[in-house]
């Protein structure tokens, strides 16, 4: 108690001294002479006895020689509090303006005096001591901090509730006073409570299955697996249900939750009582507050229509498009929705434009923080704006998403982009980008199986932030993770041994060659494949230079240099196969373009993909190869659930390929199997002699596939399809094949985002020598590859 009073008296005396000196020495706390943007001359901790000044400064991100940033200083205060070295409210930062225009930062602290002699977790049986220590962050020798100890108690309780121990309790019996020397938690764990069921009452309009997809709470499987009850999620789930109903136009919906306990208290049933209320129509929409652009122009980018049901998703999309319309032209405006009920069940929707004034903004400084290993150029290459340009605000979010997709920054604390005022010119805005680096190396061990390639293992080492030029200068570079890292390049070393197929490769990619829009990919590889006609060994290398022309178009140039060995050719093989036995050399030069407008790479429902390329091959055989492929997806809101989920999707695909007449057997075209021609075995479609596929120089393959969701969570689909086309020895259609079939697509989280595909197909029209196959299975959906 005496020490606490002394600390308070010391802080009062220090602040009085600061107040007396403030006028004569130019010290400021906030506004009289704003230090924002001034260079920091010195950072001076005061009041610290147990902690060295260097320790305090190292916790802070403000640095001598850098501009003073009030937002960063406030974060520094939070960081210092997080150390638990100081009393609550015991940190204050003041500034003093120097005569040379710089600023000195004074950090006043009040340290905690007593230390923790022992930490005890009584009653903890199902959570390990190390885990509890990580939750509280309290260790022997730390400063006694009652607030931190209470926060630790809450963290322990949340952990038990997350584990489904609904009746758990945690009490802080010692460590709640500054004079204590021990921290003691009394823990009553209680049983694990499972969710036996989730029910809905009163949902006359919404489908129960769709409502369940909105919930974080899940029912246990067979009462044993998963389904732990966490009361903290009830309010979150209720709010999600309210948002779901609002999206359907039920703006006055009321939802309450009820927890029904089983007689033995080991299970609960959660019941959501729903009063849906009236579903609202839209009488009309009105745009207010717009000055820079006419109402007609803004109306053109909105989709909400009079007479339709109110749909919150449509409204949110309208607000986003209006903000983007302004933002792409350099105006940072807000757009808010206001709903006015003009009579029961009918609303007028107002789109209010906020802060529509002045000239468009321009890009000022670009400030990058947090990239200790990654070079600035890696971040800058993801930005589609530069200083002096019109600040197109939607590009800030695009840049943030591209930075997140790099996979070199912490997904738990993803990159952020902030717009700051420029101290010199109000028409310019500084852009501050903050990143937090994470581990970028991966060791991958897995396996795959499909009906074409059989069973294949996968062993890979992948580094996503590789640097071919950052050689280590000391052992410390390896310890700190700087050696061969930091340039945003990718290096992948992979081995894929299998029953029918083996592949070994090393791939290097530089996405921005010498900081240009061109990407460079180089690879060296060896693979072996066992076919019914022969065994093939192929080794070589490939170099590709590509450039993204715009958001949907990409062009590429590539060359491959390969050695091919065709061996183990049967004695009864026809001349068209036997003549290519032995070793061969190949050099290919290819140019290609690709256009992709799909709405999703995994589950496309709209858009198309166009890919075309031409390759000239030299070596033991000289011949051209031309390929064109087009895939189109169709869907409509009329063949979907009312909330937009469960879309029926029609997919069409056409592939055309032509090669020179002297193409060898290892470069000819074959069809059959998954993603090719179902109903036939791998390489089971095309010219054949003596029951051996000889391949063709002309391929024309087509698919029509219709996909329908089965489950409300869109995790299971059924498909019906028709595959048709041919592979011929020249550009003539002699034997046109047709196969029909159906299948399922089942999403299994353990297999990743792509679903399991299982297809059954039967040829209706086939040619002599074709090999049929009833079942095909793989990973992926139509058009997802």
């Amino acid at each position: 108690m005496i020490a606490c009073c002394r600390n308070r008296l010391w802080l009062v005396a220090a602040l009085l001294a600061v107040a007396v000196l403030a006028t004569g020495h130019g010290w400021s706390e906030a506004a009289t002479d704003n230090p924002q943007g001034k260079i920091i001359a010195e950072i001076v901790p005061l009041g610290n006895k147990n902690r060295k000044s260097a320790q305090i400064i190292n916790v802070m991100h403000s640095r001598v020689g850098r501009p003073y940033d009030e937002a960063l200083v406030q974060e520094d205060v939070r960081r210092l509090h997080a150390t638990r070295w100081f009393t609550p409210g015991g940190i204050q930062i003041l500034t003093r303006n120097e005569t040379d225009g710089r600023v000195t930062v004074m950090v006043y602290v009040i340290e905690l005096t007593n230390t923790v002699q022992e930490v005890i977790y009584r009653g903890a049986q199902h959570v390990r001591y190390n885990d509890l220590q990580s939750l509280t962050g309290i260790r022997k020798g730390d400063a006694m901090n009652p607030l931190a100890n209470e926060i630790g108690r809450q963290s322990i309780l949340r952990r038990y509730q997350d584990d489904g121990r609904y009746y758990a309790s945690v009490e802080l019996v010692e460590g709640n006073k500054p004079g204590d020397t021990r921290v003691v938690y009394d823990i009553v764990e209680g049983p694990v409570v499972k969710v036996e069921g989730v029910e809905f009452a009163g949902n006359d309009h919404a489908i129960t299955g769709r409502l369940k997809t909105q919930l974080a709470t899940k029912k246990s499987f067979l009462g044993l697996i998963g389904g732990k009850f966490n009361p903290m999620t009830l309010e979150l789930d209720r709010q999600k249900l309210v948002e779901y109903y609002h999206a359907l136009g039920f703006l006055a919906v009321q939802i309450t939750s009820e927890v029904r306990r089983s007689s033995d208290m080991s299970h609960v049933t959660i019941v959501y009582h729903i009063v849906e209320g009236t579903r609202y129509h839209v009488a009309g929409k009105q745009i207010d507050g717009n000055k820079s652009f006419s109402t007609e122009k803004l109306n053109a980018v909105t989709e909400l229509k009079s007479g339709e049901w109110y749909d919150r998703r449509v409204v949110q999309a309208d607000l986003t498009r209006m903000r983007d319309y302004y933002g792409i032209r350099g105006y940072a405006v807000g757009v808010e929705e206001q709903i006015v009920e003009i009579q029961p069940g009918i609303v007028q929707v107002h789109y209010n434009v906020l802060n529509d004034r002045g000239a468009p903004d321009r890009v000022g400084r670009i400030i990058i923080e947090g990239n200790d290993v990654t070079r600035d150029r890696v971040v800058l290459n993801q930005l589609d704006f530069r200083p002096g340009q019109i600040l197109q605000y939607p590009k800030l979010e695009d840049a943030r998403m591209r930075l997140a997709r790099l996979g070199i920054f912490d997904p738990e604390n993803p990159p952020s982009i902030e717009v700051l005022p420029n101290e010199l010119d109000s028409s310019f805005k500084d852009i501050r980008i903050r990143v937090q680096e994470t581990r970028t190396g991966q060791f991958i061990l897995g396996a795959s199986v499909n009906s074409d390639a059989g069973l294949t293992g996968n062993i890979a080492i992948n580094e996503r932030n590789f640097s071919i030029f950052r050689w280590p200068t000391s052992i410390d570079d390896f310890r700190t993770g700087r050696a061969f890292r930091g340039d945003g390049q990718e290096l992948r070393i992979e081995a894929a041994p299998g029953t029918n197929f083996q592949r070994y490769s090393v791939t290097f990619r530089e996405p921005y060659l010498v900081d240009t829009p061109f990407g460079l990919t180089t690879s060296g590889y060896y693979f072996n494949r066992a076919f019914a006609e022969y065994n093939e060994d192929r080794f070589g290398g490939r170099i590709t230079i590509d450039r993204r022309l715009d958001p949907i178009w990409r062009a590429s140039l590539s060359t491959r240099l390969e050695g091919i060995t065709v061996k183990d050719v049967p004695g009864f093989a026809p001349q068209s196969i036997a003549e290519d036995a032995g070793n061969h050399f190949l050099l290919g030069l290819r140019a290609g373009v690709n256009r992709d407008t799909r709405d999703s790479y995994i589950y496309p429902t709209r858009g198309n993909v166009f890919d075309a390329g031409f390759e000239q091959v030299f070596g033991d055989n000289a011949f051209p190869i031309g390929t064109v492929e087009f895939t189109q997806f169709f869907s409509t809101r009329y063949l979907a659930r009312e909330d937009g989920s469960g879309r029926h999707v029609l997919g069409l695909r056409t592939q055309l390929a032509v090669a020179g007449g002297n193409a060898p057997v290892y470069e000819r075209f074959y069809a059959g199997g998954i993603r090719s021609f179902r109903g036939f075995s791998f390489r089971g479609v095309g010219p054949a002699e003596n029951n051996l596929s000889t391949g063709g120089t002309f391929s024309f393959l087509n698919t029509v596939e219709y996909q329908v969701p089965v489950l409300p969570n869109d995790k299971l689909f059924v498909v019906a399809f028709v595959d048709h086309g041919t592979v011929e020895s020249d550009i003539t259609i002699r034997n046109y094949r047709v196969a029909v079939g159906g299948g399922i697509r089942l999403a299994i989280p353990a297999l990743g985002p792509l679903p399991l595909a299982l297809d059954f197909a039967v040829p209706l029209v086939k040619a002599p020598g074709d090999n049929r196959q009833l079942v095909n299975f793989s990973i992926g959906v139509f058009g997802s590859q």
Side-chain angles (χ1 to χ4, degrees), residues 196-217:
E196 191 171 34
V198 178
E199 300 176 1
F200 301 90
N203 57 315
D204 299 326
H205 187 87
I207 303 172
T208 296
R210 287 301 300 166
L211 291 177
K212 287 183 177 180
T213 65
Q214 311 302 310
L215 307 180
T217 301

Side-chain angles (χ1 to χ4, degrees), residues 69 88 92 198 271 288 353 431 433 456 488 495 499 530 538-539 604 654 658 680 739:
D69 184 338
Q92 187 166 10
V198 178
V271 182
D288 302 313
V353 180
I431 309 299
I433 301 168
T456 304
T499 54
R538 188 179 296 232
F539 66 92
T654 293
V658 180
F680 297 91

Side-chain angles (χ1 to χ4, degrees), residues 1-12 110 113:
M1 184 66 184
I2 294 173
C4 182
C5 291
R6 286 176 179 169
N7 284 336
R8 291 173 181 165
L9 289 172
W10 184 93
L11 179 59
V12 171
I110 301 177
T113 53

Side-chain angles (χ1 to χ4, degrees), residues 604-615:
T605 63
R606 296 187 306 275
N608 55 64
V609 183
F610 171 78
D611 188 89
F614 176 81
E615 182 179 28

Side-chain angles (χ1 to χ4, degrees), residues 267-306:
H267 291 81
V268 296
T269 298
I270 302 171
V271 182
Y272 290 97
H273 298 277
I274 302 171
V275 179
E276 293 182 334
T278 303
R279 191 178 188 188
Y280 285 76
H281 276 96
V282 177
K285 68 171 181 286
Q286 181 175 325
I287 299 176
D288 302 313
N290 52 308
K291 299 175 183 178
S292 300
F293 303 102
S294 68
T295 299
E296 290 73 21
K297 289 183 178 180
L298 296 178
N299 265 324
V301 301
T302 63
E303 294 184 355
L304 187 68
K305 294 180 175 57
S306 302

Side-chain angles (χ1 to χ4, degrees), residues 473-512:
T473 57
S474 66
I475 295 296
D476 194 56
D477 285 344
F478 286 101
R479 184 182 62 81
T480 59
R482 292 181 174 273
F484 299 110
R485 293 182 68 240
D487 272 330
Q489 301 159 354
E490 183 169 1
L491 177 69
R492 184 179 182 89
I493 304 172
E494 184 175 14
T499 54
N500 299 329
F501 176 79
Q502 298 184 66
R503 183 183 70 253
Y504 305 90
S505 64
V506 177
T507 303
F508 168 81
R509 175 160 176 79
E510 167 57 81
Y512 293 91

Side-chain angles (χ1 to χ4, degrees), residues 441-447 457-462 464 492-495:
Q442 290 180 296
F443 176 75
I444 303 168
L445 184 64
N458 183 260
I459 305 169
I461 298 173
N462 194 74
R464 298 185 300 275
R492 184 179 182 89
I493 304 172
E494 184 175 14

